[in-house]
Amino acid sequence: MSWRLDEVLELHQQGRVQAALALVDQHLAEQPDEAPLWLQKGRILEATGHDAEALAAYLNARNLDPSSLEAWTDHAFLTGRLDPARGIDVFVELLQHFPRNPTAWANLATLHDRAGDPFAAEAAYRIALTHESHPGELDAVRRRLGLL
């Protein structure tokens, strides 16, 4: 399957979006249970402004491979961009599966900030810091909290 995904990725990177989308659809017709293909389809659709279809593709990827942090994250980001309140819900759901992911906590905090809830944002930022795996990884969070 990876060669098929590589071909789709190459077409997309070359800016041949319609060809990439046609190829991913062809492969999905043959292998509808391939989460990475659904994820790439979502990315192509999102890049071309087809947000509703992209959300559906990301959700398919997520459902087919619940362990795919990429599928969860792409779905949550797009949802949050379109509807911050719903994005918060999706990030909370993501964190039920990946509770120690500092980037997801920081993203949740950002959505709380955008939604006008600074207290929830600060709490999520502080949780993100407890899960930091690389020194300096969350310096932007530290600056946001006035810790740097």
Side-chain angles (χ1 to χ4, degrees):
M1 196 283 303
S2 66
W3 66 268
R4 294 175 177 195
L5 186 56
D6 289 345
E7 192 176 352
V8 170
L9 290 170
E10 185 177 328
L11 286 169
H12 188 204
Q13 290 168 350
Q14 292 172 352
R16 298 176 57 201
V17 176
Q18 292 307 319
L21 194 54
L23 186 59
V24 80
D25 282 338
Q26 176 187 342
H27 293 317
L28 282 169
E30 298 167 9
Q31 298 176 315
D33 295 337
E34 288 292 337
L37 287 171
W38 282 106
L39 179 62
Q40 189 58 34
K41 180 175 181 165
R43 288 175 174 167
I44 294 167
L45 289 166
E46 183 178 359
T48 57
H50 295 92
D51 293 338
E53 294 157 303
L55 280 174
Y58 291 147
L59 191 56
N60 279 340
R62 238 184 63 181
N63 290 338
L64 289 167
D65 183 4
S67 68
S68 172
L69 179 59
E70 285 183 283
W72 278 95
T73 301
D74 286 4
H75 182 249
F77 269 130
L78 180 54
T79 301
R81 184 169 57 77
L82 298 173
D83 178 356
R86 177 71 185 115
I88 289 169
D89 293 340
V90 176
F91 267 106
V92 167
E93 191 178 355
L94 179 158
L95 285 161
Q96 291 171 0
H97 295 273
F98 306 96
R100 297 172 114 15
N101 186 291
T103 304
W105 281 105
N107 290 327
L108 174 62
T110 299
L111 285 176
H112 278 301
D113 253 347
R114 288 184 189 155
D117 190 346
F119 299 108
E122 182 172 345
Y125 281 132
R126 290 191 181 279
I127 293 169
L129 290 172
T130 67
H131 298 299
E132 183 178 34
S133 56
H134 306 291
E137 176 182 27
L138 296 174
D139 281 349
V141 170
R142 284 185 183 78
R143 279 190 287 286
R144 166 71 177 81
L145 294 173
L147 300 174
L148 275 183

